[in-house]
Amino acid sequence: MREFLDLGAMLLFAAGAVAALRLLHRLTAVRGEPLLAAPFLSGNTPDEHALSRFHARWYALTLLFLAFDVEMLFMYPWAVVVAEVGTAAVVEMFVFLGLLMCGVVYAWREGALRWA
């Protein structure tokens, strides 16, 4: 009988939580009223929509940036332990940098770094 009381208490708690969340949503929901201010872009009105698409060449450049960002993410902890680990850590980092350089050469060959 105790198990059923525990189950009933959990069901009541779950139903109360759902009801409280629905009430909170009703109290804080965004109303369908018109905006009183326009988007702000350095004092000018924007020329295009905020969800507009970018040219495909920017995606390759973004991936290249992320590769170098991840490189720094790995190099900071490596710099802390390189003295303790020794030559193996230096070899591993040069292998990692070589793989990243292959990515840069590929992006360069595909024209991701051309601006025109």
Side-chain angles (χ1 to χ4, degrees):
M1 187 68 175
R2 173 80 176 147
E3 294 85 14
F4 291 119
L5 288 176
D6 292 340
L7 180 65
M10 286 179 14
L11 286 174
L12 280 174
F13 178 74
V18 168
L21 287 174
R22 289 189 57 103
L23 179 66
L24 182 67
H25 171 70
R26 278 207 182 265
L27 294 174
T28 61
V30 177
R31 306 284 190 258
E33 299 168 358
L35 291 175
L36 299 177
F40 185 76
L41 180 66
S42 300
N44 302 322
T45 56
D47 294 333
E48 56 190 24
H49 194 272
L51 299 177
S52 63
R53 296 183 179 192
F54 293 102
H55 195 277
R57 71 171 177 232
W58 295 111
Y59 293 111
L61 193 64
T62 302
L63 288 176
L64 193 63
F65 167 75
L66 286 175
F68 282 106
D69 200 31
V70 170
E71 172 193 1
M72 286 291 103
L73 183 73
F74 286 141
M75 284 186 84
Y76 285 131
W78 171 82
V80 172
V81 299
V82 69
E84 297 171 9
V85 177
T87 309
V90 175
V91 170
E92 287 177 5
M93 185 52 69
F94 275 106
V95 168
F96 176 68
L97 291 175
L99 288 172
L100 277 178
M101 196 57 167
C102 290
V104 170
V105 168
Y106 173 76
W108 193 345
R109 192 181 72 197
E110 291 295 318
L113 302 176
R114 268 186 290 204
W115 292 101

